[in-house]
Amino acid sequence: MTATAPYRSPLGTAGRDGFARLVHAEWTKFRTAPGGPAGLVLAALLVVGLGLLSAAGSHASCSKGPVEVPCPVPPRGPGGEAVEDHFFFAHQPLRGDGSITVRVSAMSGRIRLPDAVPGVRNVATAMTPWARAGLMIKASTRQGASYAAVMVTAEHGVRMQHDFTEDVAGLPGKVTPSTPRWLRLTRTGDTVTGEESADGVRWTKVAAVRLPGLPAQARVGLFAASPGDVRVTGNAVGGSTVTSRFSEVTAVMDRLDVRGAGTGGAFALDDIGVSYELDGSPHHPGGFRESGGTYTITGVGDIAPLTVGSTVENTLAGAMFALVAVIVVGVLSVTAEYRRGLVRTTLLASPRRGRVLVAKAVVVLAATFAGSLAATAVTLPLAKRVLAGNGVHLLPVSALTELRVVAGVAGVLAVSAVLALAFGALLRRGAAAVIAAVAAVLVPYVLATTSVLPEPVADWLLRVTPAAGFAVQQSIPEYPQVVGHHAPAGGFYPLPPWAGFAVLCGYAALVLALAVRRLNREDA
Amino acid sequence: MEATIEVSGLRKRYGSKQALDGMTFTVRPGHVTGFVGPNGAGKSTTMRVVLGLDAPDEGHALVGGRPYASLRTPLRHVGALLDAAALQPGRTGRHHLLWLAHSQGLGARRVDEVLELTGLGPAAHRRAGGYSLGMRQRLGVAAAMLGDPPVLLLDEPFNGLDPEGIVWMRGFLRALAAEGRAVLVSSHLMSELEDTAGHLVVAGRGRVLADTSVADLIARASGGRVRLRTTAREAAMRALAEAGATVTVQDRETLTVDGLAAEQVVRLLTAREVPFAEVAAHRATLEAAYLDLTRDAVEYRGAAR
């Protein structure tokens, strides 16, 4: 055997750190195979195309008798959110600091029930749980103007609420002639303090809130409001049907004591936010009567943020279809290598197998996120403009929330692609992995949000399956004090946005870990 | 790092089949080592164990003194061609090499170098799905050469090559070995390795049957046999058999004589006045030696150890 000097390569040593090299290699691999980039382009086109198509096809118009008119834009609260601001207000001017005190001695109400005899109004004497009456200070009588109010409610005790979204509980208990409740509202600068008392002697503070920008001259007085009677009934296919019916509340108050500059005159009466019949008469009017120091006030409506309507995330509904495309991209990024035996070449280049799979996941995550983000970031504002042009007004949200929706939907697509990739690596068969990923993400999402399942089941699905991740797109929060039907079918998720997203990420990490384990344990 | 491949006591069982049964050999730099044996002898499995793709039940394999899995830029230490068909058909040949290069911290320049080296330059920008089997083999060799490694493992590199390609591959492998690289080339056809391999590892049933230089193997297979050409075949056979030799008929005029030296054959035939045209020591072809060796693996178990 002849001795030959062993070969020495003139190539230099590798510059980058090992993992960065792998990511670079996987990126090169991803972008040079036609399937991956094409799948992401398709996903982006689905988001943009379906979003704009659906926006272009949506029109809203309202009628005033025989005349078609643009639909009214809902008023907006101080925080920018769309609000319902509908109540009866008996008020006086208040300049500067001052206070108002009253005793609420009785509360009653009426609810219209489904007609037992067709054509005969079926009205019951009852109150909805959040029927309320009490004291309010409001910047003006304009709908949406800043306010603070202390009140008694039918079922939720004393509350202090302000600026539509905020709510603080006082003491529980109902108002009856034998257990009246005293309420007091005090303005000091831009701070408003609400207090309650059982006897008018010993007072308990409910809350002190700041109303920034409350003008020196505000309106102060008595109010009553009663949200609709919302009922949810099961429907034939297992989902639910929601109805909301007229309700009103009537409160009896006395021992009125108003202090401060400008007060003491007669009450001005405003049925704020009431709608009118064609003949000009108010539809379901409230009312106010004064008799020897006793005030009887009747109100209809709600003072609350609007939570039902078209939302910004509705413009990104195409993401559901894009999800299928990115799932296929994620799965094929692994199973195409298994199908051709290319995985061995990959493992020759990187014998540390877990790292190569993670590098692949990083590339799929980043590429899918970038492609989807471009699509969502274009679609949402564009669709919003198209919709506005068609008379459809989305429930307004802050720029930060819009950003969360845009990035969140892209994030759901990207993490779902990683989950699909992990299924591909775990199962090594393209068809099986696509079915697994669709069954994990898309099927529970569709079942839970299309009102075919009983609500507890839908809620449960959106807590424990990867579909929980869609919670990240919910732009309108659920307020405990706001009457409404907050179900998945209406876009309300059982988990907070980032918690839901974390569930999806957890699943992706779990399946990826299982895939790494299998890859490390078995021969390639 | 030393340019060697060390395989030591590898055992591996797939279900009921003992794929490797104590495979042991060392590949040294400076010449092409042929790794031959019939299909199922354990050649590919051994290569996959060396490359860290399969884990052995027992034994170990080292490349340059280290397990493959511990190499941080493995393609700069070992180049391998396992399955030339392992390509994504939609990717161009150049892009296939580019991602591999990036994984080793190498750039596009090195990719173009190996494309030139393997003569794939003109097809570099075509999709690999359209490559002929021979072009795929060249692409596989290009991938193996990316990291300019001191050790090369090539599994059946002659598969699918046209005659011109076979000539090219032989010269290429010899040149790599001459540079001081350790080159292990597996084949199930010994003829492909003739004039290429300087050393042979003959495998059968998961173990080594012979680990020898080509010259030694031929000498041993040739035994003490004598080739005889005669027009009087019957008479010659009778005379030789009576003297105790074993005679095999090769063709109408040629016999192979086992058991007598050439001089004895000449003396015997001359004494019996049997005419003959030529008596020569028989030289086995590599092919024949190999077939001899692998015909019955059991017989040679002792010889291999």
Side-chain angles (χ1 to χ4, degrees):
Chain A
M1 199 175 290
T2 50
T4 313
Y7 181 74
R8 296 262 179 267
S9 168
L11 295 178
T13 50
R16 295 185 203 211
D17 127 82
F19 190 68
R21 279 201 315 264
L22 283 185
V23 170
H24 187 199
E26 287 299 330
W27 166 241
T28 306
K29 199 192 275 182
F30 182 83
R31 71 178 172 81
T32 58
L40 294 188
V41 168
L42 175 67
L45 289 179
L46 282 169
V47 171
V48 177
L50 293 174
L52 295 185
L53 211 64
S54 139
S58 299
H59 293 267
S61 62
C62 296
S63 57
K64 204 165 199 170
V67 188
E68 196 174 286
V69 294
C71 289
V73 181
R76 294 171 65 160
E81 67 285 337
V83 297
E84 181 179 0
D85 202 5
H86 180 194
F87 62 102
F88 200 89
F89 196 24
H91 53 94
Q92 303 181 353
L94 170 64
R95 278 194 300 279
D97 294 349
S99 72
I100 179 169
T101 307
V102 83
R103 185 176 76 167
V104 185
S105 55
M107 263 178 102
S108 62
R110 292 192 305 151
I111 297 176
R112 180 166 181 197
L113 299 178
D115 295 351
V117 180
V120 178
R121 283 174 66 91
N122 182 8
V123 177
T125 302
M127 286 186 289
T128 57
W130 281 100
R132 62 196 104 159
L135 303 172
M136 179 185 288
I137 181 165
K138 192 168 168 74
S140 73
T141 55
R142 181 182 59 81
Q143 278 188 297
S146 180
Y147 74 93
V150 65
M151 67 203 76
V152 289
T153 66
E155 305 275 345
H156 297 280
V158 172
R159 317 293 290 201
M160 171 101 183
Q161 298 187 342
H162 72 283
D163 287 354
F164 302 95
T165 58
E166 307 307 312
D167 171 59
V168 179
L171 296 172
K174 294 180 185 184
V175 166
T176 65
S178 58
T179 57
R181 201 68 74 104
W182 295 71
L183 301 172
R184 178 184 290 156
L185 208 56
T186 307
R187 175 182 185 182
T188 315
D190 56 5
T191 300
V192 179
T193 306
E195 293 167 281
E196 62 170 308
S197 170
D199 52 15
V201 179
R202 288 186 307 273
W203 288 88
T204 307
K205 187 168 99 173
V206 182
V209 300
R210 281 194 68 235
L211 297 184
L214 187 66
Q217 167 137 339
R219 311 299 300 187
V220 67
L222 316 177
F223 84 98
S226 178
D229 180 37
V230 173
R231 301 206 176 189
V232 182
T233 47
N235 67 23
V237 288
S240 50
T241 307
V242 187
T243 54
S244 177
R245 292 195 181 80
F246 159 76
S247 88
E248 68 174 23
V249 65
T250 299
V252 179
M253 307 184 192
D254 56 10
R255 313 280 181 94
L256 178 71
D257 178 19
V258 196
R259 297 178 185 189
T263 62
F267 278 113
L269 303 181
D270 269 298
D271 204 344
I272 291 177
V274 75
S275 55
Y276 292 93
E277 307 282 6
L278 277 178
D279 61 9
S281 63
H283 178 67
H284 291 313
F288 181 76
R289 213 170 58 243
E290 181 184 354
S291 160
T294 299
Y295 307 89
T296 306
I297 184 166
T298 298
V300 177
D302 201 2
I303 311 164
L306 275 183
T307 56
V308 177
S310 293
T311 56
V312 290
E313 63 264 34
N314 289 158
T315 62
L316 302 180
M320 203 169 78
F321 300 92
L323 185 63
V324 178
V326 301
I327 280 175
V328 171
V329 167
V331 164
L332 287 186
S333 74
V334 175
T335 58
E337 288 203 24
Y338 274 101
R339 190 161 155 232
R340 309 281 175 187
L342 189 64
V343 64
R344 286 192 204 98
T345 310
T346 300
L347 295 179
L348 286 184
S350 164
R352 290 189 286 178
R353 300 179 177 185
R355 293 164 63 100
V356 78
L357 199 57
V358 172
K360 213 178 250 301
V362 166
V363 166
V364 166
L365 182 79
T368 310
F369 184 71
S372 307
L373 187 66
T376 56
V378 166
T379 306
L380 193 150
L382 221 55
K384 208 162 85 170
R385 284 184 66 169
V386 173
L387 284 168
N390 290 347
V392 180
H393 300 284
L394 301 178
L395 292 176
V397 293
S398 69
L400 212 61
T401 301
E402 262 183 30
L403 192 64
R404 194 236 305 150
V405 172
V406 162
V409 170
V412 166
L413 290 174
V415 177
S416 299
V418 170
L419 178 66
L421 172 152
F423 271 125
L426 188 63
L427 304 174
R428 300 186 181 177
R429 301 237 185 287
V434 168
I435 289 169
V438 167
V441 189
L442 191 57
V443 170
Y445 174 68
V446 170
L447 286 179
T449 56
T450 49
S451 193
V452 295
L453 292 176
E455 261 165 48
V457 178
D459 268 349
W460 179 81
L461 279 180
L462 292 176
R463 279 177 189 277
V464 306
T465 71
F470 282 97
V472 78
Q473 65 173 339
Q474 182 182 331
S475 67
I476 302 296
E478 184 180 339
Y479 301 94
Q481 81 275 17
V482 175
V483 177
H485 178 232
H486 298 124
F492 291 93
Y493 290 82
L495 292 177
W498 293 114
F501 189 64
V503 169
L504 173 63
C505 294
Y507 272 102
L510 175 74
V511 181
L512 196 62
L514 291 175
V516 168
R517 202 174 79 131
R518 180 171 182 199
L519 192 60
N520 279 329
R521 285 188 166 193
E522 291 183 16
D523 290 339
Chain B
M1 170 156 165
E2 264 187 280
T4 58
I5 301 168
E6 293 161 70
V7 172
S8 171
L10 293 185
R11 286 178 200 281
K12 183 159 182 77
R13 176 174 279 282
Y14 293 112
S16 66
K17 186 178 181 290
Q18 188 76 37
L20 297 181
D21 189 11
M23 185 73 78
T24 303
F25 63 86
T26 300
V27 179
R28 302 200 178 281
H31 48 231
V32 175
T33 299
F35 191 20
V36 294
N39 288 327
K43 303 188 299 292
S44 293
T45 305
T46 302
M47 286 189 154
R48 296 201 332 206
V49 170
V50 170
L51 295 170
L53 293 175
D54 286 11
D57 300 335
E58 271 180 59
H60 64 266
L62 302 176
V63 184
R66 291 168 62 182
Y68 190 88
S70 74
L71 301 173
R72 290 293 165 261
T73 48
L75 302 192
R76 288 160 169 260
H77 300 283
V78 187
L81 167 64
L82 287 187
D83 177 8
L87 292 168
Q88 252 164 320
R91 195 179 281 124
T92 67
R94 188 168 184 282
H95 281 148
H96 175 71
L97 296 173
L98 192 61
W99 75 256
L100 271 174
H102 286 162
S103 74
Q104 309 299 307
L106 298 165
R109 215 180 63 193
R110 180 62 192 160
V111 169
D112 293 330
E113 283 172 17
V114 295
L115 282 168
E116 282 309 307
L117 188 69
T118 52
L120 266 181
H125 292 278
R126 277 166 47 197
R127 293 188 169 191
Y131 282 12
S132 68
L133 191 50
M135 287 163 82
R136 288 177 191 207
Q137 290 286 14
R138 284 173 187 254
L139 184 59
V141 171
M145 290 305 297
L146 258 184
D148 196 17
V151 175
L152 283 146
L153 279 86
L154 307 168
D155 196 7
E156 305 276 359
F158 297 98
N159 268 4
L161 292 183
D162 54 18
E164 186 198 357
I166 289 174
V167 170
W168 169 80
M169 183 68 84
R170 283 178 174 162
F172 185 70
L173 295 178
R174 275 199 303 263
L176 293 177
E179 287 172 340
R181 301 184 216 241
V183 183
L184 182 68
V185 180
S186 83
S187 175
H188 64 286
L189 295 175
M190 181 64 98
S191 57
E192 290 174 343
L193 294 176
E194 198 135 28
D195 306 327
T196 308
H199 197 85
L200 284 176
V201 173
V202 183
R205 298 189 189 173
R207 63 176 81 88
V208 173
L209 302 180
D211 184 349
T212 171
S213 74
V214 172
D216 285 353
L217 181 67
I218 290 175
R220 195 167 66 195
S222 304
R225 277 175 285 185
V226 173
R227 197 169 53 129
L228 168 69
R229 281 184 57 201
T230 171
T231 48
R233 203 173 65 180
E234 300 300 319
M237 284 177 75
R238 212 177 307 118
L240 291 167
E242 278 169 19
T246 309
V247 183
T248 319
V249 178
Q250 295 289 329
D251 58 43
R252 207 163 54 81
E253 291 197 347
T254 312
L255 301 172
T256 304
V257 186
D258 206 350
L260 290 174
E263 313 83 77
Q264 294 175 292
V265 172
V266 171
R267 209 177 306 132
L268 186 70
L269 295 180
T270 310
R272 296 286 186 94
E273 294 182 338
V274 178
F276 62 92
E278 182 188 343
V279 174
H282 168 80
R283 189 179 186 282
T285 60
L286 192 54
E287 184 91 39
Y290 161 67
L291 287 174
D292 231 25
L293 204 54
T294 54
R295 187 175 299 130
D296 186 359
V298 182
E299 191 185 333
Y300 286 88
R301 190 184 293 163
R305 290 285 166 100

